[in-house]
Amino acid sequence: MTENISKLRIEGGTPLVGEVHVRGAKNLVPKAMVAALHGSTPSTLRNVPDLSDVEIVTTLVELHGAKVDYDRDAGVLTLNPAQDATTAAKNAEEIQLFGGNSRIPILMVGPLLHTLGTARIPNLGGCKIGDRPIDYHMAALRKFGAVVEKDDETGTTLIVPEEGLKGAEIVLNYPSVGATEQVLLTGVRAKGKTILRNAAIEPEIIDLIAVLQKMGAIIFINEDRTIVIEGVDELTGYDHTSLPDRNESASWASAALATGGDIFVRGADQKDMTAFLNQFRKMGGLYEVTAEGIRFTHPAQHTPGAQLKPIVFETNVHPGFMTDWQQPLVVALTQAKGASIVHETVYEERFGFTNALKQMGADIVVMRDCVGGAPCRFEGKGYGHSAIISGPTPLTGADIEVPDLRGGFSHIIAALAAKGTSHVSGVELIARGYENFEEKLKSLGANFEVLARKASKAPKPDAAIVVVEPEEVEVQD
Ligand SMILES: CC(=O)N[C@H]1[C@@H](OP(=O)(O)OP(=O)(O)OC[C@H]2O[C@@H](n3ccc(=O)[nH]c3=O)[C@H](O)[C@@H]2O)O[C@H](CO)[C@@H](O)[C@@H]1O
Ligand SMILES: C=C(OP(=O)(O)O)C(=O)O
């Protein structure tokens, strides 16, 4: 990953038609890289996409002394886990500076406690879709026996007590994906048994468990979503192929509906997308599952004039409708004939992106009530976490600033669906979750011009020692 698009001019109104290739999951690959830190031997990860979240974790593990080699074309990443305390201490400032670009750094704490005996609680980045607390993570680490060595304005440092980290019994008030991964990545090397109740069981979690099991871990997944981990003394490296990114696959499917197009997503896997495919079909979308991927088609491609239908659904933990799918699908719902309702129950503030859609002409009302579903955790808390989308409404081009990864993709497909010209800035955020974005848009026939590019933020450890905001370079015709 070197240069990302940062500014685009988009001429909307052209249906996206063609094929894109979706590789490994953004929500598994960086975690599998963190798991490799436990290994006594190097690991090989396959189907690795060229994403900034992968680059961020590459830089972070190298700042701790590990070594990463990545063949972008082959999608093969090898990680030599030989981290050491001296290197980590020397790079402590860059590690802290650099942590705030994704959700992953907090997951490095467990492996680093086991290998280096100490770890700092990092700043975190990620989509701005709610408070995104880490209280479950901190409670779990304390349960394993981690001790706060320092807690001041520079941050919190944990250390391992003399007796080491021990298995614990942990109950999650909410099946948090990150907290489940925290317990997995810490419990596998803790002494004794760890019992995690109310765990998340997303496909990416199951894939991470497969990675850990290949390394030598002993992990049970019970029918009541309790995970039991028997700590082991040693874990070795793994050879693993990541599951495909169901969130990117669903994003392109929504783009096909929003623009009236027809997109074959090579690599899409039906079994991880059941809840999405049901709603896609209820909207009148057509899909065809093949061994190589899934073809997503707007009904008007088959029946001229056919319109999308409104739907009512809520997001939830797996196997419910994945929250990362809702934003791109909301763009398609602006083109459905009638009123749709979306109840977002995972994040309290995931409808901020609709402001730009309303600026483009969409009819969306965001409400504080739990609309269209049973009362959720956010009932009566004043969060705008339900949306009523009435359509079809013609969208017109606008000047847009990308707010975050998934909201940004939604803005771009809205601009592609709109009539007229849109100028979109902050597009570099898209690289967190969509590799080869420019090539994909081109292959789908999108009418756009790149106005500026930006280098990735991630200086290699042997390059600039401070994370600098790279210059935005205007593209000359
Ligand atoms: C890098 C990655 O894998 N990101 C995914 C991960 O994010 P992430 O792991 O951050 O998501 P969580 O499942 O932890 O967060 C969901 C909700 O859990 C609650 N919570 C979580 C942790 C905690 O310590 N305290 C707490 O209260 C919050 O209400 C939060 O809104 O899972 C989310 C839910 O599937 C996805 O949207 C993200 O794409
Ligand atoms: C919320 C998302 O990602 P992250 O947790 O990395 O912010 C997402 O992928 O939609």
Side-chain angles (χ1 to χ4, degrees), residues 7-10 397-401 415 421-425 451:
K7 259 188 202 146
L8 279 177
R9 177 170 51 236
I10 292 175
D399 290 349
I400 300 166
E401 171 78 26
T421 306
S422 297
H423 293 86
V424 189
S425 55
L451 301 179

Side-chain angles (χ1 to χ4, degrees), residues 3-11 422-424 427-428 437-439 441-442 446-454 472-477:
E3 290 275 297
N4 300 318
I5 308 174
S6 56
K7 259 188 202 146
L8 279 177
R9 177 170 51 236
I10 292 175
E11 295 303 331
S422 297
H423 293 86
V424 189
V427 181
E428 63 275 13
F437 189 62
E438 183 176 353
E439 293 76 6
L441 284 183
K442 273 186 195 150
N447 183 352
F448 70 98
E449 182 188 357
V450 176
L451 301 179
R453 297 179 195 280
K454 218 180 214 182
E472 184 166 69
V473 178
E474 301 291 323
V475 172
Q476 307 304 327
D477 289 332

Side-chain angles (χ1 to χ4, degrees), residues 26-27 31 53 103-104 129 132-137 174-179 181 202 247 322-324 346-348 350 377-378:
K26 157 194 157 298
N27 288 355
K31 288 85 174 272
D53 267 27
R103 302 298 300 170
I104 313 302
I129 50 184
R132 307 194 79 173
I134 58 168
D135 52 333
Y136 299 172
H137 295 252
Y174 181 81
S176 151
V177 167
E181 292 163 338
E202 271 64 8
N247 296 340
M322 204 306 176
T323 173
D324 298 355
V346 179
Y347 292 104
E348 60 273 35
R350 195 159 199 171
R377 299 174 295 148
F378 305 130

